[in-house]
Amino acid sequence: MSLTRRDFARSTAVTGAGVVLAGSVGALATAPQALAATDLDGAEDAHGHPGIGYGPLVPDPDGVLALPAGFSYRVVTYSGRTRLESGESTPSNHDGTAAFAGPRGAVLLVNNHELKGPRADWEHPVPLTEGLVYDPAAAGGCTVVEVRRDQVAEWVGIAGTSTNCAGGSTPWGTWLTCEETEDRAGQNGMTKDHGYVFEVDPADRRANRAPKPLKALGRYAHEAVVVDPKRGHLFLTEDASGPNGLFYRWSPPEGFHHGRGRLRTLADDAGVLQAFRCFDSGGRFVDDLSRATRTGTVYGVDWVDVPDRDARTVPVRKQFADGQVTRARKLEGMWWGDGGVYVVSSYAREESPVQHDGQVWFYDPRRRTLTLKVLLGTGGTLDGPDNITVSPYGGLVIAEDGEGAQHLFGATDSGRTYPIARNELNIGTEAAPEYSEFTGVTFSPDGRTLFANIQQPGIMLAITGPWKRQRRG
């Protein structure tokens, strides 16, 4: 059932401009220049209360990761240095990651490797493990990392996929890895069509044999996916431009029940794939999410059927005329929490109606509303939010993929930001330093360890320390 403009106007007239979620991330918002001095140093606020966060970042003598005092990190995998069980190098370009409870206290992590194009272009592609290969020409895929107190093991989860980006975990304990590409067979050396989602089971290696694309979820430049555990919907982001990408919802067919391996049983056209269409409280259509210039902005959401989800002749996002759907630049990471979906738009530039350095939205499936929680104005201290996770200590943890210094930063329920880590690994030169983005931010099941990746050269890190619940600010 669609949410009519009249219904939405009535609901906003009653509830006001914001959506209040008790005990949740709630009215998360941040302003330009949000990483202010008081946020950096953990100073007391005007009322003498302890500041948010964990204090200033301490430079790392090893030149890898600056952390607050009392925190430490451990290198879990390092492309070109650590090895898989089979003896090959850990693949490079770490991206989306999720953590699962493993046997006998272990943590299992599924780690995407964002490697685009033919294998010859990469020094450390994902090895073509027998039985786990989709397209032998493609360099990307996933590895599974098992972490115990003093031991680490790593093996291939899927190979022969391309540009594996953010992905997402499922309530039934598997990983959905997303291909951020639209390459077809014959393009860029590929022998099969790409732009699909695949399921990887970290706990059952046999379940990953003979990889099958989940064509029901569409073929486009997938970024991330989350599952609504109550309604069974899957939400998906598209990182694309010319025109800007879309936010999608897939509804399962009647009678379908989710579970391990169940998505692989679906027909290619199973369920309904739709793109979102937003309108403001006055019933006016919103063409692009960059139009929102104030946190607390709320849009109503309707869903429009995708004509050809496999994009046989026309890319999915180009199948809609102006005025049919809402678009956004760089729709990136997502995470399910607080009964809905947190979704990132990393930035908007000249291709968008209004420029910004990052947005985080919250989609409430019950109310069918989209609320702007975080807005980073251009020229601020932070820019380019990408991967995201909901913190067990309150608020969000966000991986930065912007210009200059790269951070992991937290955002409290009331909107203040604070640094958690800074990448100090210079992959450029002394004269022209360059620092790779952070990716794959996720907490261990017990909440004690924050895992995150430095994408290039490809390093997985485990961060521990005196985590604490953050004040609302």
PDB file of all heavy atoms in Angstrom, residues 11 17 41 64 95 118 129 161 194 221-222 238 241 243 245 259 296 307 313 381 433-434 438 464:
ATOM      1  N   SER A  11       0.318  13.146   8.891  1.00  0.00           N
ATOM      2  CA  SER A  11       1.194  12.599   9.933  1.00  0.00           C
ATOM      3  C   SER A  11       2.230  13.610  10.368  1.00  0.00           C
ATOM      4  O   SER A  11       2.553  13.720  11.547  1.00  0.00           O
ATOM      5  CB  SER A  11       1.874  11.325   9.441  1.00  0.00           C
ATOM      6  OG  SER A  11       2.788  11.615   8.410  1.00  0.00           O
ATOM      7  N   ALA A  17       8.249  18.072  12.600  1.00  0.00           N
ATOM      8  CA  ALA A  17       9.221  17.849  11.540  1.00  0.00           C
ATOM      9  C   ALA A  17      10.148  16.692  11.815  1.00  0.00           C
ATOM     10  O   ALA A  17      10.743  16.149  10.910  1.00  0.00           O
ATOM     11  CB  ALA A  17      10.056  19.121  11.325  1.00  0.00           C
ATOM     12  N   ASP A  41      39.012  17.096  21.816  1.00  0.00           N
ATOM     13  CA  ASP A  41      39.811  16.937  23.024  1.00  0.00           C
ATOM     14  C   ASP A  41      39.051  16.322  24.181  1.00  0.00           C
ATOM     15  O   ASP A  41      39.603  16.109  25.255  1.00  0.00           O
ATOM     16  CB  ASP A  41      40.399  18.284  23.458  1.00  0.00           C
ATOM     17  CG  ASP A  41      39.349  19.348  23.752  1.00  0.00           C
ATOM     18  OD1 ASP A  41      38.190  18.982  24.026  1.00  0.00           O
ATOM     19  OD2 ASP A  41      39.695  20.538  23.720  1.00  0.00           O
ATOM     20  N   VAL A  64      50.602   3.641  11.338  1.00  0.00           N
ATOM     21  CA  VAL A  64      49.446   2.949  10.776  1.00  0.00           C
ATOM     22  C   VAL A  64      48.143   3.581  11.238  1.00  0.00           C
ATOM     23  O   VAL A  64      47.323   4.015  10.429  1.00  0.00           O
ATOM     24  CB  VAL A  64      49.456   1.448  11.133  1.00  0.00           C
ATOM     25  CG1 VAL A  64      48.192   0.760  10.604  1.00  0.00           C
ATOM     26  CG2 VAL A  64      50.701   0.772  10.575  1.00  0.00           C
ATOM     27  N   ASP A  95      37.092  -4.058   1.603  1.00  0.00           N
ATOM     28  CA  ASP A  95      35.935  -3.163   1.637  1.00  0.00           C
ATOM     29  C   ASP A  95      34.934  -3.663   2.684  1.00  0.00           C
ATOM     30  O   ASP A  95      35.312  -3.952   3.811  1.00  0.00           O
ATOM     31  CB  ASP A  95      35.311  -3.000   0.252  1.00  0.00           C
ATOM     32  CG  ASP A  95      34.662  -1.635   0.078  1.00  0.00           C
ATOM     33  OD1 ASP A  95      33.574  -1.414   0.659  1.00  0.00           O
ATOM     34  OD2 ASP A  95      35.234  -0.770  -0.613  1.00  0.00           O
ATOM     35  N   PRO A 118      39.794  -7.175 -15.028  1.00  0.00           N
ATOM     36  CA  PRO A 118      40.487  -8.458 -15.167  1.00  0.00           C
ATOM     37  C   PRO A 118      41.538  -8.695 -14.090  1.00  0.00           C
ATOM     38  O   PRO A 118      42.099  -7.761 -13.511  1.00  0.00           O
ATOM     39  CB  PRO A 118      41.121  -8.364 -16.557  1.00  0.00           C
ATOM     40  CG  PRO A 118      41.229  -6.904 -16.847  1.00  0.00           C
ATOM     41  CD  PRO A 118      40.068  -6.258 -16.157  1.00  0.00           C
ATOM     42  N   THR A 129      39.640 -20.324  -6.154  1.00  0.00           N
ATOM     43  CA  THR A 129      39.499 -21.587  -5.438  1.00  0.00           C
ATOM     44  C   THR A 129      38.461 -22.469  -6.121  1.00  0.00           C
ATOM     45  O   THR A 129      37.350 -22.021  -6.408  1.00  0.00           O
ATOM     46  CB  THR A 129      39.091 -21.326  -3.978  1.00  0.00           C
ATOM     47  OG1 THR A 129      40.086 -20.500  -3.363  1.00  0.00           O
ATOM     48  CG2 THR A 129      38.984 -22.630  -3.205  1.00  0.00           C
ATOM     49  N   THR A 161      34.148 -12.648  -8.809  1.00  0.00           N
ATOM     50  CA  THR A 161      33.175 -11.558  -8.871  1.00  0.00           C
ATOM     51  C   THR A 161      33.942 -10.252  -9.033  1.00  0.00           C
ATOM     52  O   THR A 161      35.174 -10.226  -8.984  1.00  0.00           O
ATOM     53  CB  THR A 161      32.279 -11.534  -7.623  1.00  0.00           C
ATOM     54  OG1 THR A 161      33.106 -11.556  -6.460  1.00  0.00           O
ATOM     55  CG2 THR A 161      31.366 -12.744  -7.606  1.00  0.00           C
ATOM     56  N   HIS A 194      27.961  -9.022 -14.896  1.00  0.00           N
ATOM     57  CA  HIS A 194      28.197  -8.654 -13.502  1.00  0.00           C
ATOM     58  C   HIS A 194      27.255  -7.523 -13.100  1.00  0.00           C
ATOM     59  O   HIS A 194      26.552  -6.952 -13.917  1.00  0.00           O
ATOM     60  CB  HIS A 194      29.662  -8.236 -13.304  1.00  0.00           C
ATOM     61  CG  HIS A 194      30.619  -9.380 -13.423  1.00  0.00           C
ATOM     62  ND1 HIS A 194      31.044 -10.119 -12.348  1.00  0.00           N
ATOM     63  CD2 HIS A 194      31.224  -9.924 -14.517  1.00  0.00           C
ATOM     64  CE1 HIS A 194      31.872 -11.068 -12.756  1.00  0.00           C
ATOM     65  NE2 HIS A 194      31.999 -10.967 -14.067  1.00  0.00           N
ATOM     66  N   ALA A 221      24.877  -1.113 -10.316  1.00  0.00           N
ATOM     67  CA  ALA A 221      26.084  -0.865  -9.519  1.00  0.00           C
ATOM     68  C   ALA A 221      25.728  -0.914  -8.038  1.00  0.00           C
ATOM     69  O   ALA A 221      25.589   0.109  -7.365  1.00  0.00           O
ATOM     70  CB  ALA A 221      26.706   0.480  -9.884  1.00  0.00           C
ATOM     71  N   HIS A 222      25.587  -2.146  -7.521  1.00  0.00           N
ATOM     72  CA  HIS A 222      25.212  -2.354  -6.127  1.00  0.00           C
ATOM     73  C   HIS A 222      26.289  -1.818  -5.186  1.00  0.00           C
ATOM     74  O   HIS A 222      27.482  -1.992  -5.414  1.00  0.00           O
ATOM     75  CB  HIS A 222      25.048  -3.845  -5.842  1.00  0.00           C
ATOM     76  CG  HIS A 222      23.817  -4.453  -6.414  1.00  0.00           C
ATOM     77  ND1 HIS A 222      22.619  -4.460  -5.745  1.00  0.00           N
ATOM     78  CD2 HIS A 222      23.600  -5.090  -7.594  1.00  0.00           C
ATOM     79  CE1 HIS A 222      21.708  -5.089  -6.480  1.00  0.00           C
ATOM     80  NE2 HIS A 222      22.280  -5.478  -7.608  1.00  0.00           N
ATOM     81  N   GLU A 238      22.505   2.063  -4.715  1.00  0.00           N
ATOM     82  CA  GLU A 238      23.206   2.074  -5.999  1.00  0.00           C
ATOM     83  C   GLU A 238      24.172   3.254  -6.027  1.00  0.00           C
ATOM     84  O   GLU A 238      23.764   4.407  -5.877  1.00  0.00           O
ATOM     85  CB  GLU A 238      22.202   2.202  -7.150  1.00  0.00           C
ATOM     86  CG  GLU A 238      22.840   2.242  -8.526  1.00  0.00           C
ATOM     87  CD  GLU A 238      21.817   2.420  -9.624  1.00  0.00           C
ATOM     88  OE1 GLU A 238      20.757   3.052  -9.371  1.00  0.00           O
ATOM     89  OE2 GLU A 238      22.050   1.931 -10.742  1.00  0.00           O
ATOM     90  N   SER A 241      26.310   7.399 -11.228  1.00  0.00           N
ATOM     91  CA  SER A 241      26.011   8.764 -11.670  1.00  0.00           C
ATOM     92  C   SER A 241      25.659   8.730 -13.148  1.00  0.00           C
ATOM     93  O   SER A 241      25.835   7.723 -13.827  1.00  0.00           O
ATOM     94  CB  SER A 241      27.204   9.693 -11.427  1.00  0.00           C
ATOM     95  OG  SER A 241      28.346   9.235 -12.145  1.00  0.00           O
ATOM     96  N   PRO A 243      22.506   9.182 -14.930  1.00  0.00           N
ATOM     97  CA  PRO A 243      22.074  10.003 -13.803  1.00  0.00           C
ATOM     98  C   PRO A 243      22.426   9.359 -12.463  1.00  0.00           C
ATOM     99  O   PRO A 243      22.906   8.224 -12.405  1.00  0.00           O
ATOM    100  CB  PRO A 243      20.547  10.046 -13.987  1.00  0.00           C
ATOM    101  CG  PRO A 243      20.234   8.698 -14.584  1.00  0.00           C
ATOM    102  CD  PRO A 243      21.387   8.392 -15.502  1.00  0.00           C
ATOM    103  N   GLY A 245      22.244   7.590  -8.761  1.00  0.00           N
ATOM    104  CA  GLY A 245      21.711   6.284  -8.430  1.00  0.00           C
ATOM    105  C   GLY A 245      20.424   6.327  -7.619  1.00  0.00           C
ATOM    106  O   GLY A 245      19.913   7.396  -7.258  1.00  0.00           O
ATOM    107  N   GLY A 259      16.055 -17.562   5.039  1.00  0.00           N
ATOM    108  CA  GLY A 259      16.883 -18.502   5.777  1.00  0.00           C
ATOM    109  C   GLY A 259      18.151 -18.777   4.993  1.00  0.00           C
ATOM    110  O   GLY A 259      18.317 -18.315   3.846  1.00  0.00           O
ATOM    111  N   GLY A 296      16.854  16.901  10.169  1.00  0.00           N
ATOM    112  CA  GLY A 296      15.475  16.840  10.618  1.00  0.00           C
ATOM    113  C   GLY A 296      14.478  16.891   9.482  1.00  0.00           C
ATOM    114  O   GLY A 296      13.277  16.693   9.702  1.00  0.00           O
ATOM    115  N   PRO A 307      11.053  -1.561 -14.234  1.00  0.00           N
ATOM    116  CA  PRO A 307      10.549  -2.249 -15.432  1.00  0.00           C
ATOM    117  C   PRO A 307      11.359  -3.495 -15.810  1.00  0.00           C
ATOM    118  O   PRO A 307      10.796  -4.555 -16.069  1.00  0.00           O
ATOM    119  CB  PRO A 307      10.639  -1.174 -16.519  1.00  0.00           C
ATOM    120  CG  PRO A 307      10.616   0.127 -15.776  1.00  0.00           C
ATOM    121  CD  PRO A 307      11.356  -0.143 -14.494  1.00  0.00           C
ATOM    122  N   THR A 313      18.821  -4.110 -21.733  1.00  0.00           N
ATOM    123  CA  THR A 313      19.185  -3.139 -22.770  1.00  0.00           C
ATOM    124  C   THR A 313      19.475  -1.760 -22.205  1.00  0.00           C
ATOM    125  O   THR A 313      20.261  -1.010 -22.784  1.00  0.00           O
ATOM    126  CB  THR A 313      18.063  -3.024 -23.821  1.00  0.00           C
ATOM    127  OG1 THR A 313      16.844  -2.650 -23.177  1.00  0.00           O
ATOM    128  CG2 THR A 313      17.876  -4.349 -24.555  1.00  0.00           C
ATOM    129  N   THR A 381      35.286  19.898   8.428  1.00  0.00           N
ATOM    130  CA  THR A 381      36.407  19.073   8.843  1.00  0.00           C
ATOM    131  C   THR A 381      36.274  17.652   8.322  1.00  0.00           C
ATOM    132  O   THR A 381      37.261  17.015   7.975  1.00  0.00           O
ATOM    133  CB  THR A 381      36.500  19.046  10.384  1.00  0.00           C
ATOM    134  OG1 THR A 381      36.523  20.394  10.869  1.00  0.00           O
ATOM    135  CG2 THR A 381      37.736  18.309  10.855  1.00  0.00           C
ATOM    136  N   PRO A 433      51.510  13.512   0.312  1.00  0.00           N
ATOM    137  CA  PRO A 433      50.969  12.370   1.063  1.00  0.00           C
ATOM    138  C   PRO A 433      49.562  12.011   0.618  1.00  0.00           C
ATOM    139  O   PRO A 433      48.785  12.872   0.192  1.00  0.00           O
ATOM    140  CB  PRO A 433      50.993  12.868   2.511  1.00  0.00           C
ATOM    141  CG  PRO A 433      50.975  14.355   2.419  1.00  0.00           C
ATOM    142  CD  PRO A 433      51.727  14.688   1.163  1.00  0.00           C
ATOM    143  N   GLU A 434      49.243  10.738   0.730  1.00  0.00           N
ATOM    144  CA  GLU A 434      47.922  10.239   0.366  1.00  0.00           C
ATOM    145  C   GLU A 434      47.525   9.161   1.356  1.00  0.00           C
ATOM    146  O   GLU A 434      48.343   8.298   1.712  1.00  0.00           O
ATOM    147  CB  GLU A 434      47.934   9.675  -1.052  1.00  0.00           C
ATOM    148  CG  GLU A 434      46.594   9.162  -1.530  1.00  0.00           C
ATOM    149  CD  GLU A 434      46.656   8.581  -2.932  1.00  0.00           C
ATOM    150  OE1 GLU A 434      47.704   8.708  -3.591  1.00  0.00           O
ATOM    151  OE2 GLU A 434      45.642   7.999  -3.355  1.00  0.00           O
ATOM    152  N   PHE A 438      38.864   4.488   4.904  1.00  0.00           N
ATOM    153  CA  PHE A 438      38.465   3.419   5.811  1.00  0.00           C
ATOM    154  C   PHE A 438      37.242   2.715   5.225  1.00  0.00           C
ATOM    155  O   PHE A 438      36.383   3.343   4.592  1.00  0.00           O
ATOM    156  CB  PHE A 438      38.089   3.975   7.186  1.00  0.00           C
ATOM    157  CG  PHE A 438      39.263   4.253   8.087  1.00  0.00           C
ATOM    158  CD1 PHE A 438      39.644   5.559   8.368  1.00  0.00           C
ATOM    159  CD2 PHE A 438      39.970   3.214   8.666  1.00  0.00           C
ATOM    160  CE1 PHE A 438      40.705   5.819   9.217  1.00  0.00           C
ATOM    161  CE2 PHE A 438      41.037   3.458   9.514  1.00  0.00           C
ATOM    162  CZ  PHE A 438      41.411   4.767   9.795  1.00  0.00           C
ATOM    163  N   THR A 464      40.612  -2.236  20.079  1.00  0.00           N
ATOM    164  CA  THR A 464      40.049  -2.471  21.409  1.00  0.00           C
ATOM    165  C   THR A 464      40.437  -1.329  22.335  1.00  0.00           C
ATOM    166  O   THR A 464      41.411  -0.615  22.085  1.00  0.00           O
ATOM    167  CB  THR A 464      40.551  -3.800  22.003  1.00  0.00           C
ATOM    168  OG1 THR A 464      41.990  -3.814  21.995  1.00  0.00           O
ATOM    169  CG2 THR A 464      40.041  -4.992  21.208  1.00  0.00           C
TER     170      THR A 464
END
